[in-house]
Amino acid sequence: MSLIDQITPVVVTYNSAELYDRLFETLSIFKQFIIVDNDSDKSDDLILRLKKSFPNQLYISSKNIGYGPGNNLGISFVKTEFALILNPDVKIEREAVISMLACANKFPNALAIGAQVFDEKQNKKVVSYKCGNNFIIAILTFGEGWHNNHHANPGRWWQGETWWELDPPAFMIRHFFKVDK
C-alpha cells in the first residue's frame, strides 16, 4: 500500500463546474476520495464529469447543508487513517501530501495538520489580511483580536506584536513554560 493511500480527500462542492480541470489534476494523485455536492444547480455538470473520469469514487449529493456539515458528512464515510479536507479550487502536489503524512507520523497526537497556501504565479507563500486585527475584539477575547498577527507569522505562538497589543494567553504560556522547567 502506497503512503498516499492512507489519505482520503473530502471535497465539498457547490456550482463548481469551472473548477473541473484543477480538481481533476488534484484528485488524480489519490486512490480514493469523497465528493459531497451541496445541491448544485442542475446545469452544473461537475459531478457528472468527475463520475465519468473517476467512476469508483463516492459521490454524495445532499441538500445544501453548508461547508462544515458537508465536510463532516464526507468524513463520516472515510475508511482510511486520515481525511484530507480540500476546497474544489485547491491544487495540491503529491509531495505536499507526503510531507503532511510525515508530519502526522512525527506528531501522532496532533488532531489536525495543514499546509500553507502558495501563490503559483508569484512563487511565494500567501498571507491573507482579509480579517485584520481588531482592538475591541482583542479586549473582549483576551488577545484573540490579534490573531491575524499569528497568520502573518505562522511559526510564532504569540499574537501581540507591540507593547499595546496585550496578549494574556502568551503571558500564561511563557509563565507555564518557566514553571515546567
Side-chain angles (χ1 to χ4, degrees):
M1 177 157 124
S2 170
L3 193 60
I4 205 163
D5 294 343
Q6 297 176 28
I7 294 182
T8 301
V10 175
V11 182
V12 175
T13 64
Y14 177 73
N15 293 336
S16 305
E18 74 277 1
L19 302 172
Y20 172 80
D21 292 334
R22 189 173 189 94
L23 190 55
F24 176 88
E25 185 179 344
T26 294
L27 294 176
S28 294
I29 67 173
F30 297 98
K31 183 177 179 180
Q32 68 271 326
F33 58 82
I34 297 170
I35 303 288
V36 178
D37 184 66
N38 263 338
D39 198 27
S40 293
D41 295 336
K42 300 299 178 222
S43 62
D44 188 85
D45 66 346
L46 175 69
I47 301 303
L48 291 173
R49 292 170 71 192
L50 286 173
K51 282 182 177 180
K52 195 178 281 188
S53 300
F54 305 101
N56 298 320
Q57 302 302 325
L58 179 58
Y59 299 90
I60 304 167
S61 293
S62 69
K63 63 181 181 176
N64 193 335
I65 58 176
Y67 181 76
N71 278 308
N72 289 340
L73 176 61
I75 289 170
S76 72
F77 289 92
V78 170
K79 298 200 180 351
T80 55
E81 185 175 358
F82 300 103
L84 177 62
I85 297 173
L86 295 175
N87 288 341
D89 63 342
V90 76
K91 178 181 176 186
I92 190 164
E93 304 289 337
R94 181 182 189 85
E95 294 77 26
V97 176
I98 291 171
S99 291
M100 286 192 289
L101 278 170
C103 185
N105 289 327
K106 185 175 179 180
F107 301 100
N109 293 329
L111 296 176
I113 295 171
Q116 290 203 336
V117 178
F118 193 80
D119 184 328
E120 299 165 334
K121 293 177 185 158
Q122 296 182 13
N123 199 26
K124 67 176 186 176
K125 290 180 187 174
V126 174
V127 178
S128 174
Y129 291 98
K130 291 180 183 174
C131 299
N133 295 327
N134 187 300
F135 181 75
I136 302 290
I137 298 297
I139 290 173
L140 295 174
T141 61
F142 301 101
E144 280 300 308
W146 312 128
H147 194 83
N148 202 53
N149 291 343
H150 165 72
H151 288 284
N153 301 291
R156 293 189 349 203
W157 49 267
W158 66 92
Q159 298 178 66
E161 287 192 348
T162 65
W163 66 269
W164 56 270
E165 292 178 336
L166 301 177
D167 189 0
F171 172 77
M172 292 171 54
I173 291 168
R174 274 191 214 107
H175 173 74
F176 290 130
F177 183 74
K178 289 178 183 175
V179 169
D180 187 44
K181 290 190 174 219

